[in-house]
């Protein structure tokens, strides 16, 4: 497995080729390095220039993010991914936030420019591509029930509205966070019905045949409560859980028991990564190699 680096390692940085990295805190769980390095190895077969590209991971505490972004730019890094807790923090720090990422207020992919970093958000693309690939559902025209009101939920909600979902219902444990998200989304919704509800009290008029997306972290640990009880909802068309480790959350186990199409977040991880690599290379990327690498890493 790729070592975990810190900013101190930049003092003696010896990689002479093109460098990419993911920054997070903690970061030791990240499987992005094997995913991207596997793709780069395949790309190097047709384009030898990628033979000296390498993707690293850095543990960067939030207070050090501005320093880290400056130092990695000065050290010549070509692209960065950002994960928890940096996606929102970086928006105030980088030179340019892509217009597509501004409504989300978070960036997960930075591309080097001469003046600094240009930030993108590929999570929404990753989610939409994954939902179509794994569940056969197009978000456009489909009612969506979204669980969560954190960063991942916000990105998912903006993507669903941008793609013209039929309606968007958002449930979250903390009502104040849900309502803040609904307020932020209202200007983006246009004619799309946008509603909130408490996960313990689903309203009777929720749509049948919705795409249910779990964007909460409930399910990461065995003792976590279900983010929602599927038995209390009209039958959804499919259940997508952004969590991929464990591979089957309690929510996905319930979906399986009820015979519902369901998928975990591994496909989203792969497709957000594939889009990031396309942004850095302007080249089509080998998604299957990325999939094999993350499956092996897990
Ligand atoms: P945040 O910390 O920003 O938000 C966490 C959300 O989960 C909040 O809505 C919070 O509710 C809710 N929550 C946390 N614990 C519980 C619980 N015990 N019961 C019910 N709700 C709970 O995290 P992110 O939005 O960044 O990430 C959310 C999930 O999405 C994580 O599991 C993350 O791993 C996953 N993810 C997966 C990706 C992929 O590529 N597959 C990409 C990005 C994220 P409250 O407001 O009440 O605190």
């Amino acid at each position: 497995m790729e070592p975990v680096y810190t900013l101190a390692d930049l003092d003696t940085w010896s990689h002479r080729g093109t460098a990419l990295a993911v920054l997070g805190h903690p970061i030791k769980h990240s499987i992005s390095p094997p995913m991207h390095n596997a793709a780069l190895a395949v790309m190097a077969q047709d384009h030898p220039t990628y033979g000296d590209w390498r993707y690293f991971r850095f543990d960067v505490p939030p207070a050090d993010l501005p320093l880290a972004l400056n130092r990695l730019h000065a050290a010549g890094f070509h692209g960065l991914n950002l994960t928890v807790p940096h996606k929102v923090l970086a928006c105030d720090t980088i030179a340019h936030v892509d217009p597509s990422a501004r409504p989300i207020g978070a960036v997960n992919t930075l591309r080097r420019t001469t003046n600094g970093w240009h930030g993108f958000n590929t999570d929404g693309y990753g989610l939409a591509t994954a939902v179509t690939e794994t569940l056969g559902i197009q978000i456009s025209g489909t009612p969506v029930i979204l669980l969560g009101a954190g960063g991942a939920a916000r990105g998912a909600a903006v993507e669903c509205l941008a793609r013209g979902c039929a309606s968007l219902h958002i449930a979250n444990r903390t009502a104040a966070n849900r309502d803040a998200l609904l307020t932020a989304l209202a200007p983006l919704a246009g004619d799309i019905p946008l509603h909130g509800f408490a996960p313990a009290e689903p309203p009777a008029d929720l749509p049948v045949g919705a795409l249910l997306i779990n964007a909460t972290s409930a399910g990461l640990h065995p003792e976590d409560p279900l983010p929602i009880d599927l038995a209390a909802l009209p039958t959804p068309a499919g259940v997508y859980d952004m969590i991929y480790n464990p591979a089957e959350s309690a929510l996905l186990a319930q979906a399986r028991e009820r015979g519902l199409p369901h998928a975990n977040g591994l496909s989203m991880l792969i497709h957000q990564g594939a889009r990031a690599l396309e942004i850095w290379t302007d080249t089509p990327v080998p998604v299957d190699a990325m999939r094999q690498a993350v499956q092996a890493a897990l």
Side-chain angles (χ1 to χ4, degrees):
M1 198 47 152
E2 194 67 49
V4 172
Y5 294 99
T6 68
L7 288 188
D9 293 307
L10 290 176
D11 296 340
T12 54
W13 195 247
S14 60
H15 180 70
R16 293 287 158 243
T18 300
L20 307 167
V22 58
L23 317 187
H25 184 71
I27 197 63
K28 67 179 188 303
H29 64 281
S30 174
I31 55 174
S32 290
M35 177 172 79
H36 284 283
N37 286 325
L40 289 165
V42 171
M43 292 164 76
Q45 293 167 10
D46 288 336
H47 308 276
T49 179
Y50 296 122
D52 75 355
W53 286 50
R54 190 87 195 151
Y55 187 107
F56 304 93
R57 55 183 176 165
F58 280 76
D59 194 310
V60 175
D64 289 348
L65 182 66
L67 174 67
L69 295 177
N70 282 337
R71 287 207 62 189
L72 290 161
H73 192 272
F77 277 62
H78 177 69
L80 303 175
N81 277 141
L82 303 174
T83 187
V84 176
H86 298 315
K87 294 184 191 184
V88 174
L89 294 170
C91 276
D92 296 331
T93 309
I94 58 176
H96 186 69
V97 177
D98 199 71
S100 62
R102 283 184 204 146
I104 306 167
V107 288
N108 75 333
T109 300
L110 307 185
R111 186 174 67 193
R112 178 190 189 76
T113 70
T114 43
N115 308 334
W117 296 108
H118 185 140
F120 302 83
N121 195 312
T122 68
D123 282 337
Y125 166 86
L127 171 68
T129 308
V131 160
T132 301
E133 177 185 88
T134 58
L135 302 176
I137 296 175
Q138 305 285 345
I139 288 174
S140 173
T142 298
V144 175
I145 299 174
L146 176 64
L147 312 179
R154 188 179 174 117
V158 169
E159 188 73 20
C160 289
L161 293 174
R163 287 182 184 251
C165 60
S167 59
L168 180 59
H169 290 78
I170 299 180
N172 191 54
R173 176 181 63 177
T174 305
N177 294 343
R178 174 200 68 205
D179 291 344
L181 178 57
L182 288 168
T183 301
L185 293 172
L188 309 175
D191 295 338
I192 300 172
L194 175 64
H195 304 285
F197 66 96
E201 297 165 8
D205 61 352
L206 285 175
V208 180
L211 166 64
L212 182 85
I213 301 171
N214 179 35
T216 78
S217 28
L220 282 174
H221 307 290
E223 68 278 13
D224 286 347
L226 272 174
I228 204 159
D229 182 3
L230 294 176
L233 301 179
T235 304
V239 178
Y240 193 85
D241 196 332
M242 289 194 191
I243 293 171
Y244 57 84
N245 194 7
E248 186 180 81
S249 62
L251 180 70
L252 290 186
Q254 200 191 23
R256 175 175 48 76
E257 285 157 10
R258 299 178 75 80
L260 298 171
H262 58 282
N264 72 24
L266 200 59
S267 43
M268 177 178 171
L269 175 79
I270 294 162
H271 287 292
Q272 63 76 30
R275 182 77 193 101
L277 194 53
E278 281 172 5
I279 287 172
W280 296 322
T281 61
D282 289 321
T283 304
V285 305
V287 175
D288 284 344
M290 299 174 88
R291 194 186 325 276
Q292 284 164 19
V294 291
Q295 282 165 347
L298 284 171

